[in-house]
Amino acid sequence: MRPANLRDLLFWSVIAVISSGFISQFVAAQEIAYPPYQQGFDSDAASVQSILDDYEAYRLAHRPSEAARLQGRLPRTWRDLSPEKRAQEFAQAQSLLARTTALGSRHTIDTAILESLLTSVVAANAFDPDRVPFTGDFGFYSEATFVIGRARIRSQADADDLIARIDAIPAWFDQHIANMRRGMATGVVAHVDPTATMVQQVREQVVEDPQDSVLFRPFEDLPDSISPGDAVRIRTEAASATIRAVNAYRRLLAFMEREYVPAARIVPGIVSLPGGRDQYRALVIQHTTRPDLTPEKVHEIGQAEVARIRAQMEQVIAETDFEGTFSEFLEFLRTDQQFYPPTPNALMAEAAVLAKKLDATLPRFFGKLPRLPYGISPVPADIAPGYTTGRYVGGDAAIGRSGTYLVNTYRLDQRPLYQLPALTAHEAVPGHHLQIALAQELEDVPEFRRSYYATAFGEGWGLYAERLAGEAGIYDTPYKKFGALSYEMWRACRLVADTGLHWYGWTRDEAESCFRENSALSELNIKTEVTRYIGWPGQALGYKIGEITIGDLRAEAELALGEQFDLRDFHDLVLSEGAIPLTLLENRVRNWIEDEREEIGETSSHTAP
C-alpha cells in the first residue's frame, strides 16, 4: 500500500474514516462525469488559474507540513482540528468545488483532477470524519512518532522547529480526544479490533526515559555545524519536550482504556450505522474513482477474480509435484521453515537483492525513469505489530531524502519469502516508487499535482507492477509464482471481504474465510489486513479495480495497434500525468490509441505503392 508520502496517507485515511450523519449529496457529488480536457486550454485561463492559485493557498493554510516544506524548513505545528478551523476549511473547500465544477467544458486536466479531489474532501467533511481519527493500521498517534523519528536536523533552526513540534503534540492530542468524545456522544466510534491495535501502538510510546522515545531520536546525532554548547541546550530542551509528549501519550492511553474501548462498536461493518449503506455506496465510488461501480458489482468482480486466480494457482501447484489437496499445499507453505527467513537481516537482505534485480529490468518496460533513488528499511518496531507487511513512503529531493520501501520484520514466521518478490515489485519498483517519484518530478503543473494520490490509480499501478515483475522473469520458481498469485488473490478477496463486511453485513470470520481458503497469506497477515478493512472501509477496493482498469486498457491498446503497440510508450503515457482518476486515465489512453492509429494510417498511406 503506498501513499505518496505520510501527509497524504493521513489525509486519505481521514477521508475514509467511518462516521454517521451521512447526507445524500455525497452520492450525488461523487457521480461526476469527467469532461474532455486540454492541458494547454486557454479559454477563461484567468478563471482557471485563479482557482488553482486559491486552492494552493487553501492547501498551505491547512497543511502546516506542506507549507513548511515549501519554505525549506521543518514544520513547528500540526494540522488544526478544532471545530472552528475545520468549519472554515470545509466552507473554503465547498466554495472551491463550486467554482471548479462551474468550469464545465472549460476544464483542464489540472481542474478535472482538482474537482475529483475536492468532491472527496467536501463529501468526507460533511459527515465529520474527525470523530474516528484512526484506522487501526495507522493514526495520528503513530504519525507523530513516524514523521519526527524520520526527521533530519541540518541546522539549529531545524532543531528548534522540531522541538516546537514535539511540544505541540499534547494540544494536538487533546483536539483528537475531544473529537473522539464527540463521536462517542453521537454514536460514531471505531470497531473493537482497530481500537485494540491502536491502544497497543499507543502503549508502545509510554516510556520512562525520554531518550528511549522515538521522538528523541533525531537529536542523538546533531550536525557538526551546531556548537557543543548549543547541542547541550538543544538536547535538554528536546528531552523536556519529549517528556511532555510522552505524558500526552499516557493521557491518551488512559482515555482509550477507560472511556473509548468500552464504547467501541461490536459489529464490524458500517452497514450497522445509520445511513451506513448509502455511505458505503459513496465510499466505493470515492476509492475506485469509478462512478459506474456499485457494491454489488464490486462483489461480483471479486468473486469472478477469485475463481480465475484459483484456477491458475492449481496449475502452478501441478508444477511442484506436490501430492495433496489445495488446502494441504497452503498449510505446507505456511508452516515449512524453508520458506521463512531466520533473522530480520536475512529478510532485509533478500528484499534488497530483489529490489536490485527489479531495478535492472526497468529499461525494458519504461522510456522515462525517475531521478530520485529509494532505500529499504524495516518498519519501525514501535508500530510493527499492527502494521501491514510492507509499505512505501515517498522521498523528497528538496530536502535530500530518498524514497523508502518499508519491510515488516515483526514475527518472521509470518513473513514468507515466496511472497517477497511481489511485495517488492509493488512497494518499490516498478510499483510505488517509480510511479510516485515520477509524479514528484512533474514539471509545469500545480504543486498539488505532485503529491496527489488517487487510491485506485496508485494502488492499481502497484498491483499491475506485480504482473510486470512476472513478465520480467522475477518469479523464477513455482513457489514464487504461487506467492505472486497469492498476493493477487489477496487483492481479489479484498473486493469480496470489504463489500461483505460493509454492504452485506458479514462477520469477521466470514470476511477472513476468502483469504484463508484461497491464499497462502499467513494467519497474522490475514487478521491484520481484515482489521484494516474494518477500520478503513472502501480503501482496499482500489487495488484490484485499478489494476483491472490498467490491464484492460493495455489489452485494448494491444488489440487496436497490433504490431505497432509499444509497451514502453504505453507505460510512459499511463504515468505521464501522475496519479489521476481512472475515468481520466481511460480518456487519455483512448485518445492516445486514436492518435497512434491515425499516425499508423498516415504512415501506411505514405508508403503504399
Side-chain angles (χ1 to χ4, degrees):
M1 163 190 186
R2 264 339 350 107
N5 48 43
L6 201 62
R7 296 186 304 274
D8 296 293
L9 171 62
L10 269 296
F11 175 67
W12 292 110
S13 296
V14 168
I15 283 180
V17 158
I18 302 169
S19 68
S20 64
F22 176 80
I23 56 177
S24 59
Q25 70 201 55
F26 193 167
V27 176
Q30 291 292 326
E31 294 176 350
I32 55 178
Y34 299 102
Y37 62 87
Q38 297 176 358
Q39 180 65 44
F41 195 75
D42 291 328
S43 176
D44 204 19
S47 177
V48 169
Q49 191 58 50
S50 68
I51 291 172
L52 295 173
D53 290 344
D54 289 349
Y55 176 71
E56 286 296 331
Y58 158 85
R59 193 170 69 97
L60 297 180
H62 299 290
R63 294 197 192 177
S65 296
E66 183 66 10
R69 187 185 73 83
L70 293 179
Q71 295 170 2
R73 59 185 301 174
L74 297 181
R76 298 175 63 87
T77 60
W78 304 90
R79 192 174 186 180
D80 188 342
L81 296 173
S82 65
E84 298 78 15
K85 187 70 171 180
R86 294 292 272 162
Q88 180 190 54
E89 182 178 349
F90 180 36
Q92 291 171 344
Q94 284 182 309
S95 175
L96 283 166
L97 176 59
R99 291 168 60 194
T100 306
T101 303
L103 289 171
S105 61
R106 296 167 294 165
H107 266 301
T108 66
I109 188 172
D110 296 330
T111 56
I113 293 172
L114 183 58
E115 181 173 349
S116 176
L117 190 158
L118 286 170
T119 296
S120 293
V121 172
V122 168
N125 276 281
F127 54 83
D128 193 2
D130 298 333
R131 290 178 289 181
V132 185
F134 62 92
T135 66
D137 180 67
F138 209 77
F140 64 94
Y141 48 91
S142 46
E143 177 190 6
T145 55
F146 195 91
V147 299
I148 290 177
R150 295 179 76 239
R152 291 180 57 198
I153 295 176
R154 299 164 296 178
S155 64
Q156 184 170 321
D158 283 349
D160 291 339
D161 286 343
L162 201 58
I163 291 169
R165 200 174 200 203
I166 295 171
D167 247 338
I169 287 176
W172 189 50
F173 277 20
D174 287 344
Q175 286 187 337
H176 282 291
I177 290 173
N179 289 333
M180 285 189 282
R181 283 200 171 109
R182 188 173 69 255
M184 293 166 63
T186 54
V188 179
V189 292
H191 179 257
V192 291
D193 291 345
T195 301
T197 301
M198 183 266 206
V199 169
Q200 180 184 11
Q201 292 179 339
V202 171
R203 188 178 290 115
E204 289 288 329
Q205 305 309 322
V206 179
V207 296
E208 295 302 322
D209 187 340
Q211 296 190 31
D212 291 335
S213 172
V214 177
L215 301 173
F216 190 80
R217 187 176 297 161
F219 302 94
E220 293 173 350
D221 186 21
L222 296 174
D224 293 339
S225 59
I226 296 178
S227 70
D230 285 331
V232 170
R233 175 192 66 79
I234 286 169
R235 290 192 177 102
T236 299
E237 292 180 2
S240 297
T242 300
I243 289 172
R244 291 187 286 273
V246 169
N247 285 335
Y249 274 99
R250 282 196 179 90
R251 291 194 299 274
L252 175 61
L253 181 62
F255 161 73
M256 295 300 297
E257 291 180 332
R258 297 171 189 172
E259 299 181 45
Y260 201 89
V261 170
R265 75 174 196 274
I266 304 301
V267 179
I270 62 172
V271 67
S272 64
L273 296 177
R277 291 177 68 83
D278 286 338
Q279 183 177 345
Y280 186 67
R281 186 184 295 112
L283 288 170
V284 169
I285 297 171
Q286 175 186 334
H287 286 293
T288 65
T289 62
R290 291 285 300 271
D292 58 313
L293 288 181
T294 64
E296 294 94 342
K297 181 62 175 176
V298 171
H299 196 79
E300 291 173 7
I301 293 171
Q303 290 175 318
E305 284 292 281
V306 167
R308 179 187 64 80
I309 299 166
R310 176 68 177 260
Q312 292 183 6
M313 292 172 123
E314 298 279 7
Q315 294 174 0
V316 173
I317 292 175
E319 297 178 26
T320 69
D321 297 324
F322 179 83
E323 296 182 359
T325 65
F326 185 86
S327 61
E328 288 170 341
F329 185 72
L330 294 184
E331 184 64 17
F332 165 62
L333 292 179
R334 289 172 178 151
T335 58
D336 196 299
Q337 291 305 303
Q338 69 174 299
F339 299 121
Y340 294 85
T343 65
N345 284 343
L347 177 59
M348 296 301 298
E350 182 65 19
V353 170
L354 287 166
K356 294 309 294 181
K357 286 182 178 179
L358 286 162
D359 282 342
T361 70
L362 296 181
R364 290 170 50 189
F365 297 98
F366 304 92
K368 183 175 182 179
L369 298 174
R371 298 185 297 273
L372 186 72
Y374 69 96
I376 306 175
S377 298
V379 172
D382 59 297
I383 62 174
Y387 206 73
T388 189
T389 190
R391 181 162 278 161
Y392 174 74
V393 179
D396 189 337
I399 63 173
R401 187 173 67 209
S402 66
T404 304
Y405 163 33
L406 293 172
V407 179
N408 199 330
T409 59
Y410 173 75
R411 288 286 304 274
L412 293 176
D413 61 339
Q414 305 288 296
R415 311 294 174 191
L417 295 172
Y418 52 78
Q419 292 178 346
L420 194 60
L423 176 68
T424 305
H426 184 108
E427 303 297 346
V429 295
H432 288 316
H433 173 71
L434 180 71
Q435 182 262 308
I436 290 168
L438 283 172
Q440 290 173 325
E441 295 171 10
L442 287 174
E443 297 179 354
D444 300 322
V445 299
E447 185 65 28
F448 81 90
R449 288 275 308 281
R450 298 187 179 95
S451 60
Y452 170 62
Y453 193 78
T455 299
F457 183 94
E459 299 301 346
W461 177 263
L463 182 49
Y464 175 78
E466 297 175 29
R467 166 182 165 178
L468 291 184
E471 294 178 16
I474 296 298
Y475 311 135
D476 53 7
T477 71
Y479 298 113
K480 292 177 183 178
K481 291 178 185 176
F482 194 90
L485 287 171
S486 185
Y487 257 37
E488 188 179 4
M489 178 68 82
W490 174 18
R491 281 45 168 263
C493 282
R494 284 176 173 176
L495 303 184
V496 177
D498 200 272
T499 51
L501 287 164
H502 300 296
W503 187 254
Y504 294 109
W506 284 8
T507 65
R508 183 187 179 101
D509 286 342
E510 288 175 308
E512 291 179 357
S513 65
C514 184
F515 305 95
R516 192 172 289 116
E517 295 169 5
N518 296 289
S519 79
L521 286 178
S522 68
E523 191 65 21
L524 176 65
N525 277 344
I526 291 171
K527 291 191 175 299
T528 298
E529 289 299 315
V530 172
T531 295
R532 172 181 152 199
Y533 312 147
I534 292 171
W536 202 352
Q539 188 271 348
L541 307 179
Y543 297 68
K544 204 71 178 75
I545 297 301
E547 180 257 343
I548 290 172
T549 301
I550 295 170
D552 286 350
L553 288 170
R554 172 175 165 177
E556 187 177 330
E558 288 174 332
L559 180 63
L561 301 179
E563 293 182 356
Q564 302 301 315
F565 174 78
D566 188 310
L567 184 58
R568 294 183 358 139
D569 288 348
F570 172 78
H571 289 154
D572 288 349
L573 172 77
V574 169
L575 300 179
S576 62
E577 293 290 354
I580 57 178
L582 295 183
T583 44
L584 278 178
L585 178 64
E586 291 173 329
N587 186 331
R588 282 180 53 75
V589 171
R590 286 169 182 152
N591 286 344
W592 174 75
I593 291 172
E594 289 305 310
D595 291 343
E596 291 293 300
R597 292 179 69 175
E598 289 179 9
E599 185 174 327
I600 292 170
E602 291 176 3
T603 302
S604 299
S605 65
H606 291 160
T607 58

